Amino acid sequence: MSHEILAQPGYTSTTTAEVRARELFPGIRIRPLWQSPTGAHANVVEIDPGATWPHRDVHRPGPEEVYVVAGTFNDGARDYPEGTFLHAPAGSWHIPASTSGCTLFVFYPEG
């Protein structure tokens, strides 16, 4: 039965070790995990201690879902510890940063 699960169209898996990190900005890297044909995508974002997004991160065309996997994430307004989930609606913005460093799972359901 397990082979039937894995044979389903679109059923996939990956590990962060299998995905090369791409630097977005100094001290901020993204590891793309998955993307659908419609544009939805899932990523791991790594922010080094002291790194800050250089401008507003505006969420377009849809929302952004963030889960803090490790460390402490700051959105420009406050700190969010490991285990925090954030929903940022379409059109909202923040300025991602981390004093201590963090790892995030970031999902864009609408691209």
Side-chain angles (χ1 to χ4, degrees):
M1 180 164 306
S2 63
H3 67 282
E4 291 177 73
I5 294 170
L6 300 177
Q8 297 175 92
Y11 198 95
T12 186
S13 69
T14 190
T15 68
T16 55
E18 296 173 310
V19 181
R20 175 182 240 175
R22 178 174 53 92
E23 188 171 67
L24 292 174
F25 305 107
I28 301 176
R29 293 169 304 285
I30 188 168
R31 292 180 189 271
L33 300 175
W34 171 83
Q35 183 164 358
S36 79
T38 61
H41 54 106
N43 309 278
V44 167
V45 174
E46 303 159 342
I47 303 177
D48 291 342
T52 301
W53 206 267
H55 51 75
R56 288 181 177 187
D57 177 25
V58 181
H59 308 114
R60 292 188 194 128
E64 177 184 75
E65 314 289 348
V66 177
Y67 180 76
V68 183
V69 176
T72 302
F73 172 69
N74 184 285
D75 63 3
R78 64 175 284 212
D79 285 336
Y80 300 93
E82 179 178 316
T84 302
F85 171 78
L86 295 97
H87 167 81
S92 68
W93 61 273
H94 58 199
I95 302 173
S98 182
T99 301
S100 60
C102 66
T103 301
L104 311 171
F105 174 76
V106 182
F107 181 65
Y108 299 93
E110 297 177 26

